[in-house]
Amino acid sequence: MPAPAAVAIPRDHYRQLLLAAGQDLAEASATEIVATGAYGGPGPSMAMLVADAFAVEPAAATELVEPYLEALRELCAERGVAAPSLEVVASGLAAAHHPRLRAPIDLDALVAHLLATVAPQTIAFAARHRDAVLDGSKAVTVRWREPIASGPATLTFDGGDERVAAHVRSVTRVAIADLTPAAVHAPNGTDMREYVDLLRSRYYPRMPDDAVLDVVCFRVTAMAPKRTA
């Protein structure tokens, strides 16, 4: 039986297909996390797409995984569940790959490529926190419904173009009702009702009384270069 004829796809169209596929598969992954309480990996469909993209051009694999991760983080934040890190997703892609069904690829090279090229998540801070973040005295931030996961991150500060490389060490989910000074790494004796009111007035005016917050522990790893126009 003759091999099927190859069909050329314009690169811009291919990128749009990758973007749509990443977002659709992120929806399925987020639904799984909500239903089971765990991330079971990106699945064979995502693994197949990433492997094929990597075989065509390594950069194409990055262009597929980035929108998948971004959409997955946003969906998980909206639904109140923890999102997986890039490392977990990349390892899951390798585990879900079926070499008997697809052309063989170097899975170690694929994972290494993704870890090196997928853009890190961005975490924004108010400008008043800049000095404390940079000197390490502020290494915890409490967020509500923001798409943050363990792994590499870029920190930014309102009103400036400075970008700081960091690593999110952990993301712990805590209900407002269970908040304690220790849970948010605040001084003993901190009035948690005032703490929550301050979060609401400064950042999250729509945050309900039964919200679940993310306690994000991070460390600065290096100063990232400023972006040029």
Side-chain angles (χ1 to χ4, degrees), residues 93-111:
L93 287 169
H97 180 65
H98 294 289
R100 287 182 295 179
L101 301 180
R102 315 302 302 176
I105 62 169
D106 186 335
L107 294 177
D108 290 339
L110 169 61
V111 171

Side-chain angles (χ1 to χ4, degrees), residues 2-3 48 54 83 88-89 98-99 104 113 116 125 138 142 155 204 213 228:
M48 177 188 70
F54 185 71
V88 169
V89 171
H98 294 289
H113 171 78
F125 287 86
K138 180 176 178 61
V142 179
L155 312 183
Y204 309 115
L213 304 178
T228 57

Side-chain angles (χ1 to χ4, degrees), residues 101-142:
L101 301 180
R102 315 302 302 176
I105 62 169
D106 186 335
L107 294 177
D108 290 339
L110 169 61
V111 171
H113 171 78
L114 293 176
L115 295 180
T117 61
V118 171
Q121 60 194 320
T122 298
I123 305 175
F125 287 86
R128 64 178 174 275
H129 294 310
R130 177 188 177 278
D131 291 345
V133 167
L134 296 187
D135 68 21
S137 58
K138 180 176 178 61
V140 175
T141 182
V142 179

Side-chain angles (χ1 to χ4, degrees), residues 49-226:
L49 287 171
V50 173
D52 286 351
F54 185 71
V56 172
E57 182 181 347
T62 303
E63 292 174 1
L64 173 56
V65 173
E66 282 185 339
Y68 170 82
L69 266 175
E70 182 178 357
L72 181 56
R73 288 168 180 159
E74 291 178 354
L75 288 166
C76 286
E78 290 174 2
R79 299 175 188 185
V81 294
S85 66
L86 168 60
E87 290 83 354
V88 169
V89 171
S91 298
L93 287 169
H97 180 65
H98 294 289
R100 287 182 295 179
L101 301 180
R102 315 302 302 176
I105 62 169
D106 186 335
L107 294 177
D108 290 339
L110 169 61
V111 171
H113 171 78
L114 293 176
L115 295 180
T117 61
V118 171
Q121 60 194 320
T122 298
I123 305 175
F125 287 86
R128 64 178 174 275
H129 294 310
R130 177 188 177 278
D131 291 345
V133 167
L134 296 187
D135 68 21
S137 58
K138 180 176 178 61
V140 175
T141 182
V142 179
R143 305 296 173 111
W144 177 62
R145 297 186 70 175
E146 292 192 33
I148 299 174
S150 298
T154 296
L155 312 183
T156 63
F157 304 95
D158 295 346
D161 61 355
E162 188 173 24
R163 302 175 67 81
V164 178
H167 188 87
V168 175
R169 298 164 51 203
S170 64
V171 180
T172 304
R173 303 183 61 75
V174 182
I176 284 181
D178 298 327
L179 276 183
T180 63
V184 297
H185 298 231
N188 290 333
T190 297
D191 187 320
M192 299 314 297
R193 182 172 297 180
E194 291 183 1
Y195 184 95
V196 171
D197 287 344
L198 190 61
L199 279 177
R200 185 179 286 113
S201 63
R202 283 184 172 176
Y203 308 113
Y204 309 115
R206 297 183 179 180
M207 184 174 70
D209 291 336
D210 61 352
V212 176
L213 304 178
D214 288 329
V215 180
V216 181
C217 296
F218 64 92
R219 61 181 176 85
V220 171
T221 55
M223 297 295 290
K226 295 181 180 180

